[in-house]
Amino acid sequence: MASIAELGEQLAGLTLIQAVELKNLLKDKYGIEPAAGGVMMAAGPAVAPEAKKEEPTEFNVILESFADKVKTIKVVRELTGQGLGEAKATVEGAPKSIKENVDKKTAEDVKKKLEETGAKVTIKPAG
């Protein structure tokens, strides 16, 4: 029979699936259930699968630079509803956010329109 230390090492090395199988075997065959916070729970964090990274759902469109100032101002006015002076200040203040907290498709559409004027644009996750 294995020593307590060896048995402890084997238990600590179980995968999550193996730990569940052991718990079920002990319960079904011997009527033994682990206490809350017992060995089974202690092994949990060490073998827990990685959390799935969530894809961002909102994006910010940033005007980094422009090639044709007049064309870029026209597109910024169209996209934002800004007046001429405000759109001019936005373009001249690059890098500047043009649209914030928009879905991916909208962000890509805005980027495409601005890039057609020769502007350099980046899309960053909001937040």
Side-chain angles (χ1 to χ4, degrees), residues 97-114:
S97 178
I98 301 301
K99 287 282 191 176
E100 295 182 342
N101 302 319
V102 295
D103 62 80
K104 190 170 187 169
K105 183 182 179 337
T106 302
E108 289 172 352
D109 290 345
V110 169
K111 180 179 180 182
K112 182 180 175 188
K113 286 181 181 180
L114 287 167

